Amino acid sequence: MVAGSFFLTPATALRYEKHDRKVRRMSKEEELGIGKERRRLDMNEEYYRLSAKDIDNWEQKRVKRLPGEHDGIL
């Protein structure tokens, strides 16, 4: 009985360690899917990129609604 307890204790510990390696907490960055591949943000570059867009000429487009969803048209 005592020998079985000495044998099963490390085996049980290995089982839980293996489970902990598979299941772990995710950080906020991992949840959002952002990581090392995100690009650096430069305020000057963003300003010039956005100022180059033509914001005066645009067209309003309706979003396709789900079946049964109210579309707001009277």
Side-chain angles (χ1 to χ4, degrees):
M1 182 83 128
V2 175
S5 142
F6 283 112
F7 174 72
L8 289 177
T9 302
T12 306
L14 274 173
R15 175 179 171 233
Y16 286 115
E17 287 173 8
K18 183 178 178 184
H19 181 267
D20 287 343
R21 272 187 257 132
K22 283 198 290 188
V23 180
R24 60 183 177 87
R25 286 201 183 268
M26 294 178 71
S27 66
K28 278 291 186 192
E29 290 83 16
E30 289 174 329
E31 285 181 35
L32 297 174
I34 56 176
K36 297 181 189 243
E37 66 273 355
R38 66 180 173 180
R39 66 181 177 94
R40 297 288 301 157
L41 180 65
D42 182 27
M43 293 303 281
N44 289 332
E45 181 184 327
E46 286 296 311
Y47 172 78
Y48 290 120
R49 186 179 68 83
L50 292 173
S51 65
K53 291 189 175 194
D54 185 17
I55 60 171
D56 293 329
N57 298 324
W58 58 277
E59 182 180 330
Q60 184 174 0
K61 297 181 181 177
R62 292 190 56 86
V63 177
K64 189 169 189 164
R65 305 295 177 165
L66 296 174
E69 186 177 7
H70 181 68
D71 62 356
I73 298 175
L74 296 177

